Amino acid sequence: MGNSDDLRVGEWVLAVGNPFNLTSTVTAGIVSAKARNINILNAEMKIESFIQTDAAVNPGNSGGALVNTRGELVGINTAIASRTGSYSGYSFAVPVSIVQKVVSDIRQYGIVQRAILGVQMREITSELQKEKKLSTLQGAYVERVVPDGAAEKAGIQSGDVITRIDDAAVKTGTDLQEHIGRHRPGDVVSVTLLRDGKTLTVQATLTNREGGTGVISAEDKVSVLGATFSELTDAQKERLGINYGLQIKSLKAGKLKSAGVPVDFIILKVNNRSVRTEEDLNDIVRRANSASEHDRVLFITGCTPQGRVRYYAVNLAE
């Protein structure tokens, strides 16, 4: 393993892969940009901080190694920018700094741990600099601070410009996403920011997507739904004419709330499997999370407390 942070623009790299079924093909190029965001992901908590190179990469290279001239792994080839579907001069790799964290999380917890600072950002353009009278074009402009999030508790405010996370410089919002993405919930980071022309440093304790500071185990994947549940009473079953069901007792930020599922909704089936207990739901969510990205969907059938049937689709991949 190398250190992708040490890569410099102009440095030579080699891309290894099996393009067009040509086993163990090696191509060479230079690093032409770092922390590149090409907007190919639609996930809610996406991180796009690619190493951009001009090493030829084609279908079959994805998942292959990007190495430096010392033979150290510095990235995983992932995407190309092309109008034809084949290499047109630009290829992109996930930095090994992110790869190492993902591998470590999966080994230790069975699931990737995502830490959240709790800010909404804007890239600093010359127009924004003039509008807000900022002293710099580099950094991540804080458009909004999430209530009760790590940033708000640390004293970060709307209008601040984040310039460093610990010892790492933040030149763009993509830099900020990458540096926060290397951490786990509960980690404390030093955030350097500009406010009214003055430099401040605050300490922020990162949270998970539920707002807590604990790590999430593989068995806790159902927590992404953001709900608490209770089994139906005999009286409810008799009144509704059903034999089973799991009722939503409370909702907070999570997949169910985002999909418009209301409190008190009674879940009867998910992905055509009957849901009698919370463990039934846990098992269905675990199976869905282990599927390919396009198949990580929960199709929910249920009813309101008044007996009206409703259907919802929840995309776990976003």
Side-chain angles (χ1 to χ4, degrees), residues 209-240:
R209 65 185 305 158
E210 305 299 323
T213 56
V215 297
I216 298 175
S217 69
E219 288 73 27
D220 294 330
K221 285 183 179 179
V222 73
S223 65
V224 302
L225 299 180
T228 60
F229 306 92
S230 65
E231 296 178 28
L232 295 184
T233 64
D234 291 338
Q236 286 176 303
K237 293 176 186 175
E238 183 177 354
R239 179 172 57 84
L240 293 169

Side-chain angles (χ1 to χ4, degrees), residues 4 27 58 85 101 147 150 154 160 175 190 193 202 267 271 281 307:
S4 51
T27 55
N58 280 294
K101 195 264 183 181
D160 289 345
D175 281 334
S190 177
L193 51 88
V202 299
I267 298 174
N271 292 352
L281 184 58

Side-chain angles (χ1 to χ4, degrees), residues 102-111 113 184 215-218:
V102 168
V103 171
S104 176
D105 282 355
I106 291 174
R107 283 177 169 171
Q108 187 169 352
Y109 304 104
I111 185 175
Q113 303 296 324
R184 294 169 178 157
V215 297
I216 298 175
S217 69

Side-chain angles (χ1 to χ4, degrees), residues 41-119:
L41 300 177
N42 296 316
E44 181 181 351
M45 294 177 64
K46 66 179 183 179
I47 297 178
E48 288 197 27
S49 187
F50 294 115
I51 301 167
Q52 179 180 321
T53 79
D54 65 354
V57 167
N58 280 294
N61 275 104
S62 294
L66 185 73
V67 302
N68 59 24
T69 54
R70 294 181 297 279
E72 298 168 335
L73 181 70
V74 292
I76 300 295
N77 300 316
T78 302
I80 57 177
S82 171
R83 294 181 179 178
T84 64
S86 297
Y87 177 72
S88 297
Y90 308 100
S91 56
F92 303 90
V94 176
V96 76
S97 58
I98 294 178
V99 173
Q100 286 178 300
K101 195 264 183 181
V102 168
V103 171
S104 176
D105 282 355
I106 291 174
R107 283 177 169 171
Q108 187 169 352
Y109 304 104
I111 185 175
V112 178
Q113 303 296 324
R114 293 299 304 274
I116 298 174
L117 180 59
V119 296

Side-chain angles (χ1 to χ4, degrees), residues 10-182:
E11 182 174 342
W12 282 95
V13 287
L14 305 175
V16 184
N18 306 306
F20 305 126
N21 293 319
L22 300 172
T23 305
S24 300
T25 295
V26 180
T27 55
I30 62 168
V31 175
S32 50
K34 295 176 64 177
R36 183 70 83 190
N37 185 336
I38 56 175
N39 294 312
I40 62 170
L41 300 177
N42 296 316
E44 181 181 351
M45 294 177 64
K46 66 179 183 179
I47 297 178
E48 288 197 27
S49 187
F50 294 115
I51 301 167
Q52 179 180 321
T53 79
D54 65 354
V57 167
N58 280 294
N61 275 104
S62 294
L66 185 73
V67 302
N68 59 24
T69 54
R70 294 181 297 279
E72 298 168 335
L73 181 70
V74 292
I76 300 295
N77 300 316
T78 302
I80 57 177
S82 171
R83 294 181 179 178
T84 64
S86 297
Y87 177 72
S88 297
Y90 308 100
S91 56
F92 303 90
V94 176
V96 76
S97 58
I98 294 178
V99 173
Q100 286 178 300
K101 195 264 183 181
V102 168
V103 171
S104 176
D105 282 355
I106 291 174
R107 283 177 169 171
Q108 187 169 352
Y109 304 104
I111 185 175
V112 178
Q113 303 296 324
R114 293 299 304 274
I116 298 174
L117 180 59
V119 296
Q120 291 182 357
M121 306 171 297
R122 284 178 65 184
E123 296 294 340
I124 300 178
T125 62
S126 57
E127 291 79 9
L128 181 65
Q129 183 188 30
K130 291 178 182 178
E131 177 188 345
K132 303 296 183 181
K133 298 179 179 178
L134 304 177
S135 60
T136 180
L137 274 169
Q138 294 191 341
Y141 180 80
V142 179
E143 179 79 3
R144 176 177 172 270
V145 177
V146 177
D148 297 321
E152 183 180 76
K153 292 176 181 177
I156 298 173
Q157 301 174 7
S158 298
D160 289 345
V161 176
I162 297 174
T163 58
R164 298 189 76 84
I165 295 293
D166 294 328
D167 296 327
V170 173
K171 298 180 180 180
T172 64
T174 301
D175 281 334
L176 178 61
Q177 288 179 317
E178 178 182 346
H179 295 313
I180 294 298
R182 300 179 189 182

